[in-house]
Amino acid sequence: MIQTNSLFNKINFNGGNLSSDGGSILLSQFLEKINLKKLLDSIPFVDLRHLPVYSNTNILFQQIIKCLLGYNDQSDQKILINDPLLSLKS
């Protein structure tokens, strides 16, 4: 059982910034609980990019979250980048 949720401390519940993906809080907590990022870090990526902004681990993690939430297309990125809840977990 999840004891505390520090993400709730960063979210404004006054109705100003709304998210349609409230379930992503539980998904995020579950992925943290199973240490998914640590598992992804253990994958030996071959990165030939020059001065990458995001690590391959972060990109893969974001893709997994997008797919689990039902956002399968790259065009959905325009919606997700402005979502106040999902942008906290990037």
Side-chain angles (χ1 to χ4, degrees):
M1 184 168 162
I2 299 172
Q3 300 292 328
T4 61
N5 195 332
S6 61
L7 185 58
F8 281 116
N9 297 334
K10 300 176 187 175
I11 300 172
N12 181 353
F13 287 102
N14 69 3
N17 297 327
L18 300 177
S19 173
S20 61
D21 291 307
S24 64
I25 294 174
L26 295 175
L27 176 61
S28 248
Q29 290 294 311
F30 173 72
L31 295 177
E32 286 177 18
K33 187 87 167 166
I34 64 169
N35 291 322
L36 182 63
K37 268 202 170 175
K38 188 175 182 179
L39 293 171
L40 295 177
D41 276 335
S42 67
I43 298 173
F45 289 109
V46 176
D47 194 358
L48 302 175
R49 298 175 293 161
H50 180 68
L51 300 173
V53 176
Y54 301 103
S55 70
N56 284 323
T57 299
N58 283 340
I59 293 170
L60 183 56
F61 187 74
Q62 289 174 1
Q63 286 297 111
I64 290 170
I65 289 176
K66 279 176 36 180
C67 287
L68 289 173
L69 291 175
Y71 296 103
N72 300 318
D73 298 329
Q74 184 62 29
S75 61
D76 294 326
Q77 192 64 31
K78 291 178 185 176
I79 297 167
L80 298 175
I81 200 163
N82 294 319
D83 190 285
L85 182 58
L86 296 174
S87 63
L88 287 174
K89 293 305 294 179
S90 300

